[in-house]
Amino acid sequence: MSLENAVDQAKGAVKEGFGKVTGDSKTELEGAVEKTVAKAKDVVEDAKGAVEGAVEGLKNAFK
């Protein structure tokens, strides 16, 4: 998890919570979307790292 994505997730969670407390459904939804986007970025980065690791493993197996 990158620091940037962690910060974005936290900001989204705070915004979502603020929206819930104040009854502002738009702010709550925006926060939920921001949090979800940051989580999705982490999943993509993790998958990319896994694929790169697998490719390196295959390269090493054929050497």
Side-chain angles (χ1 to χ4, degrees):
M1 173 183 290
S2 74
L3 180 60
E4 180 182 352
N5 289 340
V7 169
D8 288 345
Q9 283 184 34
K11 287 186 339 188
V14 168
K15 191 172 186 177
E16 181 181 17
F18 182 75
K20 284 181 183 178
V21 169
T22 60
D24 184 352
S25 59
K26 181 182 177 200
T27 299
E28 182 180 350
L29 180 60
E30 287 174 356
V33 168
E34 288 173 12
K35 185 172 68 173
T36 302
V37 167
K39 285 181 182 180
K41 286 180 183 179
D42 268 342
V43 169
V44 169
E45 288 173 5
D46 290 347
K48 180 182 174 188
V51 169
E52 288 172 349
V55 168
E56 284 301 314
L58 285 171
K59 285 180 183 177
N60 291 336
F62 288 106
K63 285 185 179 180

